Amino acid sequence: MTDLDVNYITDDVKALIGMESDFCEMPHPVEASEVRRFHHAVMDDSPRYSDAGASRYGGPVAPLGFPVHMYRRRPGEPDPLDGMDRPDRDGLDRKLRPGLPPIDVPLTRLLNGGYRYTFYRYAEIGDRIFVKSRYRDIYQRSGRSGVMVLFDIEDTYVNQDRELLLETKNTIILR
Amino acid sequence: MLAKTPLFDSINVGDSITPLVKGPMTTAHIMRWSSAIENWHRIHYDRTYAQEHDKLPDVMVNGSWKQHVLIQLVSDWAGEDGWVVEIDFQFRGMDVPGNTLTAFGTVTETRDCGAYGLVMLEIGLKNETGQNGTPGTASVLLPKAGGPPVPYPFDPAILAGAES
């Protein structure tokens, strides 16, 4: 049997399709230091991230896509660097979103396929951020390099006042 | 200074928006980004793992970083009085240390939205060989000459009845 014959979309995986989380709060509010390190790393020096008077958005604000990377390990959650002495350990877990169950597909190479963002409002320093996520679809395809399983995930990000910040559609690929 | 917002009236199909150049990218840039967002994926810092386990040519410039460069490209162009409505892209090509990346955009369509105008863009991130590894599209709402800035926060009702 080649890997092209393997059906990774088992009943357990199918059961995840359409599953939606509640709104989950990010472990801490939007911090000035995290925003600074983020926009420094992007090499985006817009004054709207540091100067409250620089924009009409209130502020200072975080870059538009910042909330997507706000999830941090909570107390008691496993250290992602545990086991990094093993040569095959990739440094990732398979919990793709804080509110969704982890994926259990025995493929080892994880790729980000792409994103669609719709923006409504900037997150501001001090905002509490919440995300609701849904497995929109999970499906299998055969490509040049073998079988891949694609996870289409929708996310909605809001602030503490339930004001809509952004919506995303993301495709994660395991192969 | 925030960039001055272009006026919808002055935009034509085929116009290029101001590009952004990043790089040459190094392992230090990749490390800084991975650390900023606490992404410990080994393909970004362990060359042996990247090449032997994931069969990649080198450690990878993070797709998560490239997406925010594209968002910066479009939000810089939209400036203070415009608004980036939507952006989408696919990670198709790999970029590695040594690559210099240029984010670019070209106007493909304009739509009238009453007091404002919607501009559709083709966007991407190409390396010095011209390969666009991150093709995508974006839509940006702009004010008109003599008109008000695009309201903030963005109200999608503005787009109802948009005409090409």
Side-chain angles (χ1 to χ4, degrees):
Chain A
M1 189 168 83
T2 70
D3 68 343
L4 294 175
D5 300 317
V6 176
N7 175 25
Y8 292 102
I9 312 300
T10 62
D11 288 345
D12 285 348
V13 171
K14 274 184 198 162
L16 298 176
I17 299 173
M19 189 175 285
E20 184 174 67
S21 74
D22 295 329
F23 275 110
C24 299
E25 184 170 3
M26 297 299 181
H28 53 73
V30 179
E31 293 178 345
S33 175
E34 285 211 332
V35 168
R36 175 185 52 76
R37 288 188 289 128
F38 184 103
H39 76 82
H40 280 181
V42 177
M43 296 176 270
D44 175 359
D45 287 329
S46 171
R48 64 172 69 111
Y49 309 133
S50 54
D51 179 354
S55 75
R56 66 187 174 111
Y57 309 126
V61 296
L64 281 169
F66 178 85
V68 168
H69 302 289
M70 273 189 70
Y71 190 74
R72 298 288 180 264
R73 180 165 58 109
R74 293 179 189 280
E77 289 187 1
D79 184 343
L81 302 192
D82 283 349
M84 287 301 280
D85 55 329
R86 293 204 316 267
D88 63 339
R89 177 81 173 92
D90 66 4
L92 296 174
D93 61 32
R94 294 292 183 263
K95 190 169 173 61
L96 301 180
R97 294 295 189 275
L100 290 175
I103 54 179
D104 184 16
V105 171
L107 293 168
T108 60
R109 294 162 66 192
L110 187 143
L111 300 166
N112 192 337
Y115 262 102
R116 172 184 294 267
Y117 286 85
T118 307
F119 297 113
Y120 299 91
R121 178 190 289 267
Y122 281 95
E124 298 179 24
I125 307 295
D127 273 357
R128 294 165 59 203
I129 306 297
F130 300 76
V131 60
K132 181 171 71 175
S133 306
R134 187 170 85 96
Y135 284 121
R136 188 161 66 102
D137 201 4
I138 306 172
Y139 49 101
Q140 179 169 331
R141 278 193 186 154
S142 298
R144 278 173 300 176
S145 58
V147 169
M148 58 182 81
V149 176
L150 296 92
F151 298 78
D152 290 343
I153 302 173
E154 292 177 339
D155 301 296
T156 303
Y157 294 83
V158 300
N159 64 16
Q160 62 282 345
D161 298 320
R162 292 295 192 263
E163 291 169 328
L164 185 57
L165 302 175
L166 69 156
E167 297 168 313
T168 71
K169 292 179 180 172
N170 176 215
T171 302
I172 297 287
I173 301 168
L174 269 178
R175 61 190 180 110
Chain B
M1 283 288 291
L2 294 173
K4 192 168 169 56
T5 297
L7 298 173
F8 179 71
D9 319 61
S10 68
I11 303 299
N12 295 298
V13 171
D15 287 354
S16 295
I17 70 172
T18 309
L20 282 179
V21 179
K22 307 278 185 178
M25 296 300 291
T26 68
T27 52
H29 292 93
I30 296 171
M31 175 184 66
R32 180 166 64 177
W33 173 252
S34 293
S35 174
I37 65 164
E38 299 190 15
N39 175 330
W40 314 117
H41 197 179
R42 201 165 190 158
I43 62 169
H44 300 304
Y45 53 86
D46 184 334
R47 181 168 285 131
T48 303
Y49 178 89
Q51 293 176 331
E52 295 183 4
H53 184 274
D54 273 24
K55 313 299 180 198
L56 299 168
D58 200 339
V59 293
M60 291 287 104
V61 175
N62 311 60
S64 55
W65 176 84
K66 293 194 273 189
Q67 68 186 340
H68 296 290
V69 172
L70 289 173
I71 294 170
Q72 181 195 356
L73 167 81
V74 183
S75 61
D76 276 1
W77 185 69
E80 173 76 351
D81 291 344
W83 187 253
V84 181
V85 176
E86 203 162 79
I87 183 168
D88 77 282
F89 40 80
Q90 294 181 319
F91 297 118
R92 289 193 187 164
M94 295 181 281
D95 293 295
V96 296
N99 283 155
T100 295
L101 300 172
T102 301
F104 66 94
T106 307
V107 176
T108 57
E109 187 185 345
T110 58
R111 296 181 193 169
D112 195 286
C113 301
Y116 315 98
L118 189 68
V119 178
M120 316 302 287
L121 299 166
E122 181 182 293
I123 58 169
L125 198 57
K126 62 187 173 191
N127 62 24
E128 59 276 13
T129 69
Q131 181 203 348
N132 176 13
T134 319
T137 63
S139 57
V140 178
L141 202 58
L142 295 178
K144 291 182 172 176
V150 175
Y152 178 81
F154 169 62
D155 177 3
I158 291 173
L159 301 183
E163 293 175 14
S164 297

